[in-house]
């Protein structure tokens, strides 16, 4: 080999090795795979929502900073979106979920949710859509405003899901207004459904009830922070925070009552019973799975890719309190196996996405976005 060619190959090899060593990564074993986790982006305090654009770029919300950020997953370069609405960020409030339309490549609609405040210091949840032009939000449309406004800055939910022309989203019960979850005349403690342009569907379950909010799809929820469609059945799955114990996974059906705060598998934070301390009541749905102690769930998806064949159809949920990625193997509606990934790393897993490359991506408080792939 000629000396110059040999030097060139050696230099290239060293360059590649240097690039690899400079990219922060972790190696972790799971039940089924040896995993490599690669840092995609950092310095995002609370990446509440992450989603992919057709270009392969990642959109992330930074909850406390009130930011929407576009990220190049190869370089980690961040572009801060301009024209973002003024956000009130305290406790659970801020810039929340973000979701491109399934046909974003053709219509350009981007959906997002955030908390806002009025002059009297009351707050609420707003859902909007807009388009991106030169990395700025334009053509902004307010689709939904949760009622009532309230001074409690906790339990806003919220997750967004688009399917077949409908927008599903969740709203928490503001904690101190927990009884509102049982009342149809407000939006608190509910899963809600509107058309993707903000109109009210004529077949919503309470649309003809003058005492109910027409957007209500289901009620009796506490603080729902996960929504996902089952890839085979098309059922709407939801998870929500319990108090001290009792985080729930539910299959959400139109018009049904999921029980909070009448029934619960947890207790109050001072260890007193929630209400009468019962777990069942006529006319109220049972969860298909609950966690005791609480994991504090956030984000949810069914894995449908090809990069992890053994995980196809598994349900993944982020865990904030117990700091892991929760993997559930399902047999229909029954959990048959649970794995708690990344316990040693002690990451508060906030958000999840499946990339167009078939790999899993997680947003971690503190605040990293990580790519998970087989080693």
């Amino acid at each position: 080999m000629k000396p110059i060619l040999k030097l060139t190959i050696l230099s290239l090899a060293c360059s590649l090795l240097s690039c690899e060593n400079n990219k922060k990564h972790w190696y972790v074993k799971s039940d089924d795979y040896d995993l490599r986790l690669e840092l995609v982006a950092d310095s995002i305090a609370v990446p509440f929502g992450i989603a992919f654009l057709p270009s392969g770029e990642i959109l992330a919300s930074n909850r406390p900073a009130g930011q929407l950020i576009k990220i190049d997953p190869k370089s980690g370069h961040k572009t801060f979106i301009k024209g973002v609405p003024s956000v009130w960020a305290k406790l659970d409030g801020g810039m929340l979920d973000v979701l491109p339309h399934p046909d974003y490549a053709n219509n350009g609609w981007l959906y997002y949710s955030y908390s806002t405040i009025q002059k009297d210091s009351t707050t609420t949840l707003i859902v909007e859509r807009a388009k991106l032009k030169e990395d700025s939000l334009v053509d902004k449309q307010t689709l939904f405003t949760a009622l009532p406004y309230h001074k409690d800055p906790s339990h806003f939910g919220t997750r967004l899901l688009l399917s077949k022309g409908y927008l599903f989203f969740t709203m928490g019960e503001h904690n101190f207004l927990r009884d509102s979850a049982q009342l149809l005349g407000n939006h608190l403690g509910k899963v809600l459904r509107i058309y993707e342009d903000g109109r009210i569907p004529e077949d919503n379950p309470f649309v003809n009830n003058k005492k109910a909010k027409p957007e209500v799809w289901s009620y009796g929820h506490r603080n729902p922070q996960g929504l996902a469609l089952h890839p085979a059945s098309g059922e709407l799955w939801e998870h929500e925070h319990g108090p001290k114990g009792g985080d729930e996974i539910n299959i959400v059906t139109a018009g049904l009552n999921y029980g909070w705060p009448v029934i619960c598998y947890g207790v109050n934070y001072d260890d007193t019973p929630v209400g009468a301390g019962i777990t069942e009541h006529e006319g109220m749905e049972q969860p298909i799975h609950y966690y005791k102690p609480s994991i504090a769930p956030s984000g949810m998806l069914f894995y449908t890719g090809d990069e992890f064949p053994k995980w196809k159809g598994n349900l993944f949920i982020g865990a904030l309190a117990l700091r892991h990625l929760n993997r559930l193997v399902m047999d229909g509606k029954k959990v048959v196996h649970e794995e708690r990934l990344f316990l040693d790393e002690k990451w508060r897993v906030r958000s999840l996405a499946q990339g167009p490359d078939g790999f899993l991506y997680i947003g971690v408080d503190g605040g990293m976005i990580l790519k998970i792939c087989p080693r």
Side-chain angles (χ1 to χ4, degrees):
M1 182 180 294
K2 294 182 179 179
I4 295 177
L5 180 59
K6 185 176 181 180
L7 182 61
T8 301
I9 293 173
L10 181 62
S11 298
L12 178 60
C14 289
S15 175
L16 290 172
L17 183 60
S18 174
C19 179
E20 175 72 12
N21 288 340
N22 287 337
K23 191 105 178 182
K24 193 170 184 180
H25 56 269
W26 297 257
Y27 295 110
V28 178
K29 286 187 177 292
S30 74
D31 290 347
D32 299 316
Y33 298 100
D34 290 338
L35 301 173
R36 173 188 169 89
L37 285 85
E38 185 176 293
L39 179 66
V40 175
D42 57 12
S43 303
I44 303 172
V46 179
F48 192 93
I50 55 174
F52 280 85
L53 292 170
S55 62
E57 294 169 302
I58 298 171
L59 275 174
S61 60
N62 189 0
R63 190 188 71 189
Q67 297 167 332
L68 290 176
I69 307 167
K70 188 169 67 174
I71 302 164
D72 182 336
K74 295 181 179 179
S75 67
H77 177 74
K78 295 192 287 287
T79 300
F80 293 87
I81 303 302
K82 300 173 184 176
V84 173
S86 178
V87 166
W88 181 78
K90 184 178 179 182
L91 198 59
D92 292 343
M95 182 59 70
L96 299 169
D97 209 8
V98 58
L99 181 67
H101 191 280
D103 195 26
Y104 179 89
N106 291 316
N107 65 33
W109 285 118
L110 177 66
Y111 293 74
Y112 52 91
S113 57
Y114 63 95
S115 60
T116 187
I117 191 167
Q118 297 195 122
K119 291 181 180 179
D120 63 358
S121 299
T122 56
T123 68
T124 198
L125 173 78
I126 303 287
V127 178
E128 289 185 352
R129 70 175 182 176
K131 295 186 177 183
L132 272 179
K133 183 178 181 180
E134 297 177 353
D135 297 325
S136 293
L137 293 182
V138 299
D139 299 336
K140 288 183 280 189
Q141 299 177 2
T142 298
L143 305 179
F144 173 83
T145 301
L147 297 173
Y149 281 71
H150 193 263
K151 290 187 178 181
D152 186 354
S154 58
H155 295 191
F156 288 98
T158 182
R159 291 294 168 190
L160 308 174
L161 187 150
L162 285 158
S163 175
K164 299 180 180 178
Y166 298 105
L167 174 64
F168 293 89
F169 54 100
T170 66
M171 175 64 194
E173 32 68 289
H174 275 327
N175 193 19
F176 294 110
L177 297 181
R178 58 171 57 178
D179 292 339
S180 296
Q182 287 295 315
L183 303 176
L184 294 173
N186 64 74
H187 295 121
L188 309 182
K190 311 294 192 297
V191 174
L192 304 138
R193 185 182 79 150
I194 57 178
Y195 283 119
E196 60 186 36
D197 62 3
R199 292 175 296 121
I200 307 296
E202 303 82 355
D203 59 347
N204 271 6
F206 304 108
V207 74
N208 294 318
N209 183 341
K210 293 181 180 180
K211 295 183 179 180
K213 292 297 183 188
E215 301 92 346
V216 174
W217 184 252
S218 63
Y219 63 110
H221 302 286
R222 187 171 181 266
N223 187 20
Q225 292 190 24
L227 274 181
L229 287 180
H230 191 283
S233 69
E235 295 166 318
L236 181 66
W237 289 47
E238 169 262 5
H239 73 57
E240 60 193 74
H241 288 246
K244 192 174 180 181
D247 302 335
E248 295 182 0
I249 299 175
N250 295 296
I251 297 176
V252 176
T253 302
L256 296 188
N257 181 352
Y258 290 82
W260 177 257
V262 179
I263 60 174
C264 179
Y265 283 90
V267 296
N268 290 312
Y269 295 113
D270 60 2
D271 292 323
T272 59
V274 174
I278 59 175
T279 57
E280 297 182 26
H281 191 280
E282 186 178 356
M284 297 182 180
E285 302 303 304
Q286 286 290 302
I288 64 166
H289 186 68
Y290 65 89
Y291 295 90
K292 198 171 183 178
S294 290
I295 65 169
S298 184
M300 177 164 68
L301 63 79
F302 286 95
Y303 181 71
T304 59
D306 296 321
E307 297 300 325
F308 301 97
K310 295 178 182 178
W311 288 356
K312 206 153 192 174
N314 287 186
L315 183 63
F316 287 84
I317 297 171
L320 301 172
L322 295 191
R323 296 175 178 260
H324 67 276
L325 177 61
N326 198 257
R327 180 176 73 90
L328 298 177
V329 181
M330 307 299 301
D331 182 4
K333 300 177 182 179
K334 183 180 179 181
V335 175
V336 295
H337 179 68
E338 177 186 1
E339 182 179 16
R340 300 189 169 189
L341 295 158
F342 319 140
L343 282 168
D344 290 343
E345 283 65 35
K346 300 186 184 333
W347 290 325
R348 285 171 54 88
V349 179
R350 177 70 63 172
S351 49
L352 298 84
Q354 180 179 310
D357 52 12
F359 297 120
L360 285 170
Y361 291 75
I362 59 173
V364 175
D365 283 4
M368 301 181 293
I369 295 176
L370 299 162
K371 176 182 178 180
I372 306 170
C373 44
R375 185 172 175 179

